[in-house]
Amino acid sequence: MSYIAAPNRYSQMQYRRCGKSGLKLPAISLGLWHNFGHVDQLENCSNILKLAFDNGITHFDLANNYGPPPGSAEENFGRLLKRDFEGYRDEMIISSKAGYTMWDGPYGDWGSKKYLVSSLDQSLKRMGLDYVDIFYHHRPDPETPLEETMAALDLIVRQGKALYVGISNYQAEEEAAKAIQILKDLGTPCLIHQPKYSMYERWIEGGLLDLLGNEGVGCIPFSPLAQGMLTDKYLKEIPLDSRAAKSHGALQQDQITPDRIRQLNELNAIAAGRGQKLAQMALSWILRDERVTSVLVGASKPEQLADSLKCLNNIVFSADELQKIDQILAS
Ligand SMILES: NC(=O)c1ccc[n+]([C@@H]2O[C@H](COP(=O)([O-])OP(=O)(O)OC[C@H]3O[C@@H](n4cnc5c(N)ncnc54)[C@H](OP(=O)(O)O)[C@@H]3O)[C@@H](O)[C@H]2O)c1
């Protein structure tokens, strides 16, 4: 039987305005970096997407290289859009990116106009879409002039292949500030920045969040659970069904040291005091800052996403809780 979205899907989710734009994003967005490739089970992918959409997650984040193999997450997403979500496209924000190695030769990587335009054309074909809602440059290119990369984003919007554009992994001063200014001058404002941010990765507190807040650009942190470390998964050991145990996982087993396990257990105790699981506290901790538009989570099972969604019940932290968390992270 074909899928019918839950009628009450907009009742629990919070939507935050993306910078100074007209677009609102759900406080929680779903990323398809892992768990949506041809190596994964299509029905599990479908169940995760349905659970997300039924709970007001309207934003799905992809990239040309997500899989494995590269491109297969977009293919699977496109297949499921057609099969399960027909009629719901206008309720969705679909993002893609280009910036990492995608095909052989000098035009399949980094930030030239040639690469970005061709890559987005390929992404649209794989997903069966006429346009994406947000198209990102995935990482800064040290060789291509920033003016060319930003002109490619501007062109893509003018061609109607993306409604908005963003940048990802750009450092605050030299890269993001300049990119934001160039896009402003071109008349295609930078909608959003996608940086890595979690309790274990706090570089954006050193200037990027201020820049984005001042410029009216949204912020969507990725890997907020530090790829699953900030959950109850690794409190004792490395489970066999975890990203750290998988050969294609980007999380290395040697990152889960005895010291890290001790810290995670201490953080878990604080979460319990707040009536939360560790994953929920890690997501709430990111959403405590109003300059964060949405937090971009991954999930390997629908149950994990259902669990993560409950972070929205408590996103306020006392000064004492924040201090204790910082002390644990510094210990
Ligand atoms: N722009 C960039 O350069 C960039 C880079 C990386 C990611 N991203 C984006 O950010 C998205 C999220 O990244 P991520 O997958 O690293 O995020 P994450 O949310 O930090 O980690 C997700 C993983 O944590 C585990 N997990 C999730 N919820 C859980 C729960 N409630 N309880 C226990 N375990 C849980 C699962 O791992 P198991 O497999 O172990 O179950 C899941 O696959 C990506 O899909 C992508 O869209 C962007």
Side-chain angles (χ1 to χ4, degrees):
M1 208 179 95
S2 64
Y3 162 74
I4 297 172
N8 63 346
R9 59 191 175 280
Y10 293 113
S11 61
Q12 298 299 322
M13 180 54 69
Q14 299 162 21
Y15 296 89
R16 294 185 176 189
R17 185 164 302 280
C18 193
K20 284 192 197 136
S21 76
L23 189 71
K24 287 182 181 173
L25 292 180
I28 298 179
S29 298
L30 179 68
L32 281 71
W33 176 33
H34 283 251
N35 312 305
F36 287 83
H38 287 336
V39 297
D40 300 295
Q41 297 296 321
L42 192 68
E43 287 320 304
N44 189 51
C45 304
S46 166
N47 291 335
I48 295 173
L49 291 175
K50 288 175 190 162
L51 184 121
F53 197 63
D54 280 344
N55 284 279
I57 295 182
T58 48
H59 180 210
F60 301 93
D61 183 80
L62 294 107
N64 56 355
N65 60 340
Y66 290 176
S72 62
E74 288 184 334
E75 280 172 12
N76 280 339
F77 183 70
R79 195 173 304 167
L80 293 172
L81 264 185
K82 196 163 174 215
R83 190 191 81 179
D84 297 337
F85 291 92
E86 206 177 4
Y88 294 113
R89 171 67 180 100
D90 292 342
E91 293 184 47
M92 292 180 168
I93 298 298
I94 300 170
S95 300
S96 190
K97 322 182 189 77
Y100 286 95
T101 311
M102 195 54 197
W103 64 88
D104 289 343
Y107 318 119
D109 202 349
W110 294 107
S112 67
K113 186 177 279 187
K114 169 74 177 165
Y115 170 51
L116 294 190
V117 170
S118 328
S119 179
L120 178 55
D121 284 347
Q122 294 178 16
S123 291
L124 292 174
K125 270 196 202 115
R126 282 192 287 268
M127 292 190 279
L129 294 174
D130 298 327
Y131 68 95
V132 291
D133 297 280
I134 307 173
F135 184 64
Y136 290 88
H137 187 222
H138 209 159
R139 61 167 166 175
D141 177 348
E143 290 183 5
T144 300
L146 198 53
E147 287 75 9
E148 174 173 335
T149 307
M150 295 306 117
L153 296 183
D154 173 63
L155 172 71
I156 279 163
V157 169
R158 290 178 197 281
Q159 287 176 331
K161 293 176 186 171
L163 301 184
Y164 302 93
V165 292
I167 52 178
S168 179
N169 298 304
Y170 275 54
Q171 295 297 312
E173 293 304 320
E174 279 308 299
E175 298 165 346
K178 280 189 188 162
I180 290 167
Q181 186 58 47
I182 296 169
L183 284 171
K184 202 186 281 178
D185 293 344
L186 288 167
T188 296
C190 181
L191 176 81
I192 195 163
H193 188 304
Q194 188 176 127
K196 192 182 205 178
Y197 183 48
S198 74
M199 285 182 184
Y200 280 130
E201 187 82 41
R202 297 179 64 164
W203 71 274
I204 72 172
E205 294 170 5
L208 184 72
L209 269 173
D210 290 337
L211 173 77
L212 300 179
N214 294 337
E215 292 288 339
V217 174
C219 179
I220 180 162
F222 70 77
S223 296
L225 302 173
Q227 298 201 50
M229 262 195 295
L230 287 163
T231 70
D232 53 14
K233 247 191 148 126
Y234 301 103
L235 293 177
K236 293 195 179 77
E237 59 201 0
I238 299 176
L240 284 177
D241 67 344
S242 64
R243 188 179 294 186
K246 287 180 192 158
S247 58
H248 60 269
L251 179 62
Q252 302 302 317
Q253 300 202 5
D254 60 12
Q255 289 174 254
I256 301 159
T257 59
D259 237 12
R260 183 67 37 115
I261 293 178
R262 173 194 50 80
Q263 273 183 344
L264 293 173
N265 277 280
E266 289 174 17
L267 291 171
N268 192 45
I270 302 211
R274 291 169 46 83
Q276 290 186 310
K277 290 184 164 187
L278 178 51
Q280 292 157 2
M281 182 174 82
L283 299 174
S284 307
W285 181 87
I286 289 181
L287 288 169
R288 80 197 186 287
D289 192 318
E290 287 175 358
R291 292 168 300 183
V292 169
T293 317
S294 180
V295 63
L296 181 48
V297 293
S300 64
K301 302 180 185 75
E303 300 76 33
Q304 288 180 344
L305 188 59
D307 213 34
S308 296
L309 278 158
K310 294 196 190 114
C311 75
L312 295 174
N313 296 336
N314 183 8
I315 57 169
V316 177
F317 286 78
S318 69
D320 186 46
E321 283 169 338
L322 291 174
Q323 194 188 6
K324 281 190 181 136
I325 289 170
D326 285 350
Q327 279 165 355
I328 294 170
L329 294 170
S331 68

